[in-house]
Amino acid sequence: MNNPNKHKKNISKLHKEKLGMDIPDDFFASSKKTILNAVIQEEKPKQTIFWLTPRFAYPIAASIILAIAFTFWIQNNNSNKSNEITNTKSIKTKDSNLDDDFLIRSLIVSDSEMETYLDNYLINSIVIEAELSEQQLENIFINSVIIEDSLIDSYLDKSLIENIVL
Amino acid sequence: MNQEVELIKNLKNPKFKNKAFKDLLDLYQERLYWHIRKIVITHDNANDVLQNTFIRIFNGIQKFEEKSTLHTWMYRIAYNESLRFLEKSKIKNTVSIQDNSLEYIKNLTEDSFFNGNELQLKLNKAISELTVKQKRVFQMKYFDDLSFRDISQILNVSESTLKSSYYSAVKIIEEKILMQC
């Protein structure tokens, strides 16, 4: 092994003389202090809050995980029950927007349920709407006829009076 | 050798570790500083790398398997730490002082702790123009006074390769300095 002390005395001088590299005064003393401080700080045991020590922390963490898991399980259980759609009435009561996206919903509803629903939908919506629109048309026609009659009547009345007067 | 064995024993003993580490600093701080300084060039960077090196030594001493000598192990840590630093600065600056002579000289002359004269600058310039392997072996042999065996362990290169790199480096430097005179 090389004796480090033998070379140490000349090493800074050698670098200064040959390479022109210098160092601040007392650099190695201050550097030694800095290194020792850094090392001691790293070695200091980390202060921990008593309830974060493994003795307390693990049971607490386990309880939290269990509580979260239990909550999820309950939620999942309830949603599974609510997802059991049996007829078209329940579809309508559960989701008022179902009419808009019944095709998407139909993917998770059985064919027989879908048929029942479509029947109801056709009767309730399309047939009734058709009837309503037919009635509206009739009303418009009757109204127009009545209006036209009254107009003719008034015209006739007026023209008769004028003719008579004239 | 006995001194080193004793030092390792104390460094691995938690009871004596801090005292042994102080002794280790006294023995090797200056040598490792200059080893690092020649790689990273500026004083401030060398100071940072030196601190990181000793922190690594302190934290890693328990893992030191004594397959090499303590000082070779420490030099290897210092060397790797310096290279890591250069890699980081290469990412930042896109140009590395390791393989760019102009960048090397620029860094050197901009350092407030460089006050070299014309001849010293010429030597620095000649060193900067060597290949990385030639540069490292020349610096470790000429300035750090390490044996070829130690350098071979630090750089993980065979001794014969190192010898030929060193002698060609010396030849190139002589030629370049003579040419510039």
Side-chain angles (χ1 to χ4, degrees), chain B residues 32-71:
Chain B
L32 289 185
Y33 169 83
W34 286 112
H35 174 66
I36 294 163
R37 174 85 182 260
K38 289 190 293 296
I39 302 172
V40 300
I41 309 301
T42 64
H43 165 73
D44 288 339
N45 293 341
N47 186 22
D48 288 344
V49 177
L50 182 75
Q51 281 183 29
N52 293 340
T53 301
F54 273 104
I55 290 168
R56 270 186 196 272
I57 290 167
F58 186 85
N59 293 333
I61 194 71
Q62 297 297 339
K63 289 175 196 162
F64 174 51
E65 291 170 346
E66 296 171 54
K67 284 177 185 170
S68 62
T69 57
L70 179 67
H71 78 278

Side-chain angles (χ1 to χ4, degrees), chain A:
Chain A
M1 178 191 158
N2 294 344
N3 182 1
N5 289 320
K6 183 186 84 182
H7 189 62
K8 193 184 144 185
K9 282 172 191 167
N10 304 316
I11 193 164
S12 290
K13 202 177 162 193
L14 178 77
H15 282 82
K16 196 176 178 179
E17 281 176 5
K18 300 279 179 187
L19 297 172
M21 288 176 170
D22 211 348
I23 45 166
D25 294 334
D26 287 331
F27 165 68
F28 291 111
S30 63
S31 169
K32 187 183 170 183
K33 272 185 196 168
T34 316
I35 292 166
L36 285 172
N37 284 340
V39 160
I40 289 161
Q41 268 193 342
E42 281 211 356
E43 226 197 2
K44 266 186 187 171
K46 286 172 190 168
Q47 286 184 334
T48 49
I49 304 161
F50 83 97
W51 53 267
L52 284 180
T53 53
R55 195 181 159 192
F56 295 98
Y58 290 128
I60 290 169
S63 317
I64 291 167
I65 290 165
L66 275 174
I68 293 167
F70 189 65
T71 316
F72 270 106
W73 181 76
I74 287 172
Q75 270 187 344
N76 219 24
N77 215 23
N78 285 342
S79 63
N80 277 346
K81 277 181 188 169
S82 63
N83 280 338
E84 287 167 10
I85 299 160
T86 50
N87 56 36
T88 53
K89 270 189 179 177
S90 62
I91 293 171
K92 281 192 173 177
T93 51
K94 278 177 204 310
D95 195 348
S96 60
N97 294 325
L98 193 66
D99 285 342
D100 299 331
D101 58 0
F102 73 94
L103 284 172
I104 297 164
R105 291 275 174 148
S106 70
L107 295 172
I108 52 164
V109 179
S110 70
D111 288 348
S112 59
E113 285 167 354
M114 198 64 208
E115 269 174 33
T116 321
Y117 172 73
L118 279 172
D119 287 346
N120 286 342
Y121 177 77
L122 281 168
I123 293 159
N124 292 338
S125 303
I126 300 169
V127 174
I128 291 167
E129 266 182 41
E131 274 176 12
L132 279 170
S133 59
E134 206 174 297
Q135 208 165 353
Q136 271 180 334
L137 273 169
E138 274 175 19
N139 286 343
I140 291 163
F141 179 71
I142 291 162
N143 284 341
S144 66
V145 169
I146 292 164
I147 291 162
E148 273 176 23
D149 283 353
S150 66
L151 281 170
I152 290 163
D153 283 348
S154 66
Y155 174 74
L156 281 171
D157 287 347
K158 273 185 182 179
S159 59
L160 268 171
I161 292 161
E162 276 174 7
N163 284 335
I164 293 162
V165 172
L166 287 170

Side-chain angles (χ1 to χ4, degrees), chain B residues 7 13 17 21 64 77 97 105:
Chain B
L7 197 57
N13 185 340
K17 193 179 179 182
F21 189 69
F64 174 51
I77 292 175
I97 54 166
I105 296 299

Side-chain angles (χ1 to χ4, degrees), chain B residues 117-138:
Chain B
N117 57 30
E118 207 182 328
L119 188 67
Q120 288 161 337
L121 195 61
K122 274 177 190 171
L123 178 60
N124 274 302
K125 207 176 167 205
I127 293 170
S128 74
E129 284 167 359
L130 296 171
T131 65
V132 177
K133 200 193 286 174
Q134 285 172 337
K135 203 186 295 175
R136 296 289 167 254
V137 69
F138 178 77

